[in-house]
Amino acid sequence: MAPYHIRKYQENDRKRVIDLFSMAKAEHIPATFRHILKLPQTLVLLLGGPLAVILVSGSWVLAFVASLALLAALRFLAKYPWKQYVVMSLHTDMSDITKSYLSERGSGFWVAESKGQVVGMVGALPVKQPTLQKEQLELLHLCVAPEHRGQGIAKALVRTVLTFARDQGYGEVVLTTSMLQHSALALYQRLGFQKTSQFFAFKKWRLISFSQIQFTYCLPSAQVSQALEQ
């Protein structure tokens, strides 16, 4: 197990951080594709579409081509949420990480480094909603390179955010992840995050039953200390 340490983001980390971020999101495309294939409406489409082609044209070749076209369309549909998220992030908070996360007190961006290479990352920004009863910090963009998983890096990065939130006087840490990110869901629940809502980020995502899950970690400081000691 290679040693690692967590430090604040530096501008010369940008290329590796963006590459890591983009690769991490692309990893979820196969799972999303499998999820779409298992949906009842997809099964009806995959069976009914080619059958309709056969009944109309009498051609098995056309039916086969129709099946391939449907699978290609579904594959594109599986890519869409992740590609959209990457593009949106690269035009908003990730367009200038230093400005977005390190220019003001109360936000931060950290990387995990091993043997001189960035192998993990996480960001945190204050939630700016005037109706909030407690000050909230949002955990964002947690990811670890595949070859460095299983070493506790993701857990250490989350704990870094929790410690920062406690020290900055926040009342809660919140985050949003997708229903298909099973390892992330398990990690957050082990660390004491509680599921607070499940929703569709965009109406079109209802078509593929692709929902987002929001988690909240309440910060009496004693709870944070207990989590950090585990």
Side-chain angles (χ1 to χ4, degrees):
M1 182 182 296
Y4 67 89
H5 70 279
I6 295 172
R7 59 169 174 80
K8 283 189 176 181
Y9 169 86
Q10 299 170 3
E11 194 58 38
N12 58 6
D13 298 323
R14 176 171 174 76
K15 185 180 185 306
R16 173 59 180 168
V17 162
I18 296 301
D19 288 345
L20 184 61
F21 170 65
S22 301
M23 288 188 295
K25 299 311 170 188
E27 283 182 25
H28 301 303
I29 293 173
T32 307
F33 184 51
R34 291 192 295 271
H35 164 74
I36 292 173
L37 289 178
K38 293 176 183 178
L39 295 174
Q41 58 266 36
T42 303
L43 295 175
V44 171
L45 186 64
L46 288 174
L47 293 174
L51 180 60
V53 171
I54 292 173
L55 292 175
V56 171
S57 68
S59 172
W60 287 93
V61 174
L62 283 179
F64 179 71
V65 171
S67 296
L68 292 180
L70 282 173
L71 287 172
L74 293 172
R75 179 73 177 181
F76 175 82
L77 199 59
K79 290 181 180 180
Y80 182 74
W82 304 108
K83 296 292 186 182
Q84 184 185 41
Y85 181 70
V86 170
V87 169
M88 180 186 68
S89 298
L90 294 180
H91 282 85
T92 53
D93 61 301
M94 296 288 281
S95 65
D96 189 335
I97 296 171
T98 299
K99 181 179 179 181
S100 298
Y101 289 89
L102 301 176
S103 61
E104 295 182 8
R105 187 177 180 274
S107 57
F109 202 99
W110 299 266
V111 298
E113 185 178 69
S114 178
K115 296 183 178 180
Q117 184 179 40
V118 171
V119 299
M121 63 185 229
V122 70
L125 290 173
V127 177
K128 296 179 180 178
Q129 291 182 11
T131 58
L132 290 175
Q133 295 181 349
K134 294 183 179 180
E135 292 292 322
Q136 290 183 339
L137 183 70
E138 184 175 11
L139 185 152
L140 296 157
H141 307 316
L142 175 68
C143 61
V144 176
E147 64 272 20
H148 291 271
R149 291 172 190 166
Q151 301 177 21
I153 295 176
K155 185 184 295 184
L157 287 165
V158 174
R159 287 173 172 170
T160 297
V161 174
L162 294 179
T163 300
F164 176 79
R166 178 196 61 192
D167 293 345
Q168 294 290 315
Y170 285 99
E172 295 175 337
V173 175
V174 298
L175 63 90
T176 302
T177 189
S178 81
M179 59 179 284
L180 299 179
Q181 292 172 260
H182 302 298
S183 59
L185 294 172
L187 171 65
Y188 298 136
Q189 290 173 325
R190 284 198 305 270
L191 288 173
F193 284 82
Q194 300 296 317
K195 178 180 174 181
T196 51
S197 65
Q198 187 163 352
F199 60 94
F200 294 101
F202 301 95
K203 289 183 179 180
K204 50 191 139 184
W205 288 9
R206 290 179 181 272
L207 294 172
I208 57 173
S209 300
F210 183 78
S211 63
Q212 304 291 102
I213 300 174
Q214 186 174 66
F215 284 93
T216 300
Y217 190 105
C218 295
L219 284 165
S221 55
Q223 183 178 353
V224 176
S225 299
Q226 182 180 3
L228 296 175
E229 292 170 0
Q230 291 178 353

